Amino acid sequence: MQDDWEDKTVVAGDVPVAEAPDGKRAQLVVLAGPNVGEMYSLEGTHTMGRGRNADLRIRGDGVSRQHLRFVVNGEEVRLEDLGSTNGSFVNGERADTVTLRDGDKIQIGSATILKFTYQDKMEEDFQRQMYESASRDGLTGIYNKRFFQERLANEVAFAVRHQSSLSLLLFDIDHFKRINDCHGHPAGDYVLASLADIVVPVIRGEDLFARYGGEEFALLTRGIDAESAAALAERIRRAIEGFPFVHEGQELKVTTSVGVVTMPREDISGGDDLIAAADKALYEAKHSGRNRVVVASLAAAMSS
């Protein structure tokens, strides 16, 4: 079931992008819902939905596996609803088949709103830069806390509704203040950026990795059980422990403590619950010696 729930929308096809008469390209911009701010080029024919076979895969309550189709024919772009359960709406009106005009607003599901528009290369680049600057941490290049929190609620809601696996790894750098105090803040920044570079190759493309606080990081991963999540956390911990951190000729000893929680769990119904359970496990890792992985216990959570 989790295969129908992807972090990244994929644009399929390798055909020329449809262009308006003035040379601008047909685009969809996400105005509301998951992936807000992201933009997709329309080229050829695409299906949109949450299913694994959709060309444009998008999450959201009320989105069908195969929800609608966009058909590009020369200068014309047509929207066709594919018999979706909750329908497709263009400018507030339910639409089965409609030719789109620049500026049309498309709603699918309960919260996903797209804008159809034509943009030139400069406008497209600006839109992508705005999206990146709003969702990425400037130092590490990974997602920022704001973006992570926006996505967390939707991920947890989906996992609760479908009783599917969702794991959160919450970890931070042991004795990070000591690094800053002894070696200066540039050394601390080097450690933070390097840690992100270490973790990214270890995780999957669909995993959501973010800088959650000053020296705290969060990794949200779907479709793996508690044992696999713990193994992933241990692999990350070892990779960081074994990395040769060297800043301005000085070797730095860097380790991390990791708290892990996996749902479905009866005590977790929202994002705050998931964060609290992982944070409690992280606290235990810190206070039991650091540089270790602790998996959240359901029994401990229920008794607290």
Side-chain angles (χ1 to χ4, degrees):
M1 183 177 296
Q2 55 269 19
D3 285 343
D4 284 339
W5 191 251
E6 289 297 324
D7 174 55
K8 185 73 173 176
T9 299
V10 178
V11 178
D14 188 21
V15 297
V17 177
E19 295 188 354
D22 58 3
K24 293 185 177 183
R25 307 199 300 177
Q27 307 279 354
L28 291 172
V29 181
V30 184
L31 299 182
N35 294 47
V36 63
E38 198 155 3
M39 182 169 55
Y40 312 114
S41 298
L42 293 179
E43 47 188 84
T45 299
H46 313 274
T47 56
M48 172 176 280
R50 62 180 174 82
R52 63 182 302 171
N53 295 322
D55 301 318
L56 303 173
R57 302 179 70 179
I58 196 161
R59 306 177 321 279
D61 287 342
V63 178
S64 297
R65 287 181 171 82
Q66 294 282 325
H67 197 102
L68 55 81
R69 174 168 52 222
F70 294 99
V71 179
V72 180
N73 183 15
E75 299 173 3
E76 179 184 274
V77 180
R78 189 169 69 253
L79 177 152
E80 300 174 352
D81 186 83
L82 298 176
S84 63
T85 301
N86 296 297
S88 303
F89 295 82
V90 177
N91 300 325
E93 298 290 332
R94 185 157 186 158
D96 293 324
T97 300
V98 63
T99 297
L100 296 173
R101 298 172 298 175
D102 193 2
D104 280 348
K105 306 297 192 305
I106 304 162
Q107 179 174 344
I108 60 174
S110 60
T112 300
I113 299 176
L114 310 164
K115 178 182 179 180
F116 173 77
T117 185
Y118 290 101
Q119 295 184 338
D120 61 26
K121 185 64 165 60
M122 183 177 295
E123 292 169 327
E124 181 181 344
D125 289 345
F126 177 75
Q127 178 70 33
R128 294 193 189 281
Q129 289 171 6
M130 290 294 291
Y131 175 72
E132 287 297 310
S133 64
S135 61
R136 297 282 178 176
D137 174 61
L139 176 63
T140 63
I142 60 177
Y143 289 115
N144 57 30
K145 182 177 182 179
R146 174 178 168 272
F147 182 84
F148 177 84
Q149 290 178 317
E150 288 175 352
R151 295 288 298 276
L152 179 65
N154 289 300
E155 298 287 355
V156 173
F158 184 89
V160 169
R161 187 166 62 252
H162 296 276
Q163 289 295 288
S164 56
S165 297
L166 180 68
S167 296
L168 173 63
L169 283 61
L170 199 61
F171 55 99
D172 69 8
I173 300 170
D174 297 326
H175 301 299
F176 184 71
K177 184 177 184 299
R178 185 183 300 171
I179 295 173
N180 280 333
D181 291 345
C182 295
H183 303 282
H185 288 279
D189 288 348
Y190 158 76
V191 169
L192 292 168
S194 297
L195 186 144
D197 290 340
I198 294 166
V199 174
V200 168
V202 177
I203 62 179
R204 304 173 303 178
E206 64 265 31
D207 294 334
L208 178 58
F209 181 42
R211 185 179 176 190
Y212 192 71
E215 71 271 21
E216 195 169 32
F217 295 81
L219 175 62
L220 201 61
T221 181
R222 305 180 216 98
I224 62 174
D225 58 22
E227 183 177 354
S228 298
L232 173 61
E234 180 62 19
R235 190 157 64 250
I236 291 172
R237 185 199 66 77
R238 289 183 179 179
I240 293 168
E241 182 184 34
F243 184 83
F245 290 87
V246 179
H247 181 259
E248 295 186 347
Q250 291 186 312
E251 185 174 350
L252 309 175
K253 179 63 175 176
V254 179
T255 62
T256 54
S257 300
V258 190
V260 182
V261 61
T262 298
M263 55 186 301
R265 286 169 48 135
E266 60 186 50
D267 62 314
I268 294 177
S269 59
D272 290 344
D273 298 332
L274 190 65
I275 289 288
D279 193 56
K280 185 170 183 176
L282 174 59
Y283 179 87
E284 184 178 340
K286 288 286 189 184
H287 286 263
S288 59
R290 293 184 171 85
N291 191 23
R292 63 191 60 204
V293 173
V294 171
V295 178
S297 165
L298 179 59
M302 295 298 291
S303 64
S304 61

